[in-house]
Amino acid sequence: MAKKNIGEMSFLDHLEELRWLLVRSSAAILICATVAFFFSDFIFNKIIFGPKDPNFITYRFFCDLSNDLQISESFCVTELPFNIQNTEVEGQVSLLIWTCITAGFIIAFPYMLWLLWNFISPALYEKERKYAKAFVSIASLLFFLGVLFGYFIIIPMSVNFFATFTVSPDIKNDINIQSYISMIKTSVIASGLIFEMPIIIYFLSKVGLVTPDFLRKYRKYAIVLILILAAIVTPPDVVSQVIVSIPLLVLYEISIFISAAVVKNKEKEKLNA
């Protein structure tokens, strides 16, 4: 059945379109999760447990960097004194299933963006609908950059901090596998979604909910929030917080530029109308 024009669609038609978006997205996640299942050994041993290894690439990079800059050797990770254990009967089965689903979500994200674009495209102008490939490509790139940032920056810092932190030498860190995996999933997905900030600002600016003046006015508050967020997800040292804060601040400044471009184009359209 041909897709109706947005002016011809009723509320129920919109709900039907949304239902199929969710159905297709769920199917894509399950298909990708099935593919991930066949690579579960690699996902667990190389990816998930990678930051548990003192020779992980991030630890080596920061150690070499600290040596080159002749700063604190605390960035050199020599050991991560903790064990990972499972304490639930069905824990490892549940862990395998939900890890594959998470991997499926990450892999299927570009396709879900394409479905989202098809859902909102009837509300856009004809010339804006031609930007589908650019939207999906840029949004996917930002998401995957966020995922990589979470995996290679936030997670190693968090693992190193929590593995070495102790209130007493009599307490050993035997970390529950569910807690460890939860930290991994939360960090990478949250980082991926946070990196979508420019895309979100673009659409908010299109509908008039956000303006560049608003973003500039509240920039100082945004900086404070970003620093607080960085302090939450990183160990309590200034260098780690700065490393996490810089990309977020850059994304915020890019969002201001995007919002300004959107507002400028809207003003040109009004003059030409």
Side-chain angles (χ1 to χ4, degrees), residues 227-238:
L227 291 174
I228 292 174
L229 177 63
I232 293 174
V233 301
T234 61
D237 65 82
V238 176

Side-chain angles (χ1 to χ4, degrees), residues 60-73 76:
R60 297 204 311 270
F61 172 79
F62 282 116
C63 183
D64 293 340
L65 182 63
S66 64
N67 290 331
D68 292 339
L69 298 177
Q70 296 182 353
I71 57 178
S72 174
E73 294 184 357
C76 293

Side-chain angles (χ1 to χ4, degrees), residues 1 9-10 37 41 45 54 74 101 119 154 177 183 208 212-213 230 237 241 256:
M1 184 176 69
M9 295 177 67
S10 66
F37 172 79
D41 287 343
N45 297 327
S74 61
I101 290 176
F119 179 71
I154 295 179
I177 182 63
M183 182 188 66
D213 292 336
D237 65 82
Q241 293 172 18
I256 294 176

Side-chain angles (χ1 to χ4, degrees), residues 10-212:
S10 66
F11 177 71
L12 292 179
D13 289 330
H14 286 292
L15 285 181
E16 180 68 9
E17 289 289 331
L18 179 60
R19 183 176 74 88
W20 278 108
L21 183 152
L22 296 176
V23 168
R24 293 188 179 101
S25 297
S26 300
I29 292 173
L30 289 176
I31 291 172
C32 292
T34 302
V35 174
F37 172 79
F38 293 101
F39 296 91
S40 58
D41 287 343
F42 176 80
I43 291 174
F44 277 96
N45 297 327
K46 299 297 183 180
I47 298 179
I48 293 179
F49 295 133
K52 187 179 179 296
D53 185 355
N55 293 316
F56 188 63
I57 184 172
T58 302
Y59 303 137
R60 297 204 311 270
F61 172 79
F62 282 116
C63 183
D64 293 340
L65 182 63
S66 64
N67 290 331
D68 292 339
L69 298 177
Q70 296 182 353
I71 57 178
S72 174
E73 294 184 357
S74 61
F75 287 95
C76 293
V77 177
T78 56
E79 63 173 336
L80 294 171
F82 73 99
N83 297 315
I84 297 178
Q85 62 179 353
N86 174 53
T87 58
E88 299 178 7
V89 174
E90 76 288 356
Q92 295 199 46
V93 174
S94 175
L95 187 68
L96 174 63
I97 294 173
W98 284 106
T99 299
C100 290
I101 290 176
T102 302
F105 173 84
I106 294 173
I107 297 169
F109 193 78
Y111 176 70
M112 291 189 290
L113 286 174
W114 180 265
L115 293 176
L116 178 62
W117 179 267
N118 288 335
F119 179 71
I120 64 176
S121 61
L124 303 175
Y125 294 111
E126 183 63 31
K127 63 180 181 179
E128 293 174 328
R129 297 176 191 172
K130 296 184 292 185
Y131 299 134
K133 291 182 179 179
F135 165 76
V136 174
S137 299
I138 294 173
S140 298
L141 176 62
L142 288 172
F143 177 76
F144 289 127
L145 285 175
V147 168
L148 292 175
F149 179 77
Y151 180 72
F152 286 105
I153 301 298
I154 295 179
I155 290 175
M157 289 181 175
S158 300
V159 170
N160 181 36
F161 171 70
F162 290 117
T164 56
F165 179 82
T166 178
V167 295
S168 171
D170 294 329
I171 302 176
K172 294 182 180 179
N173 286 326
D174 291 328
I175 299 175
N176 188 289
I177 182 63
Q178 299 289 352
S179 175
Y180 179 82
I181 297 293
S182 177
M183 182 188 66
I184 300 286
K185 293 190 294 186
T186 301
S187 297
V188 297
I189 293 179
S191 296
L193 296 178
I194 288 174
F195 268 58
E196 296 292 330
M197 185 192 304
I199 301 295
I200 296 172
I201 293 297
Y202 171 81
F203 284 104
L204 291 178
S205 299
K206 287 289 292 183
V207 298
L209 294 178
V210 171
T211 64

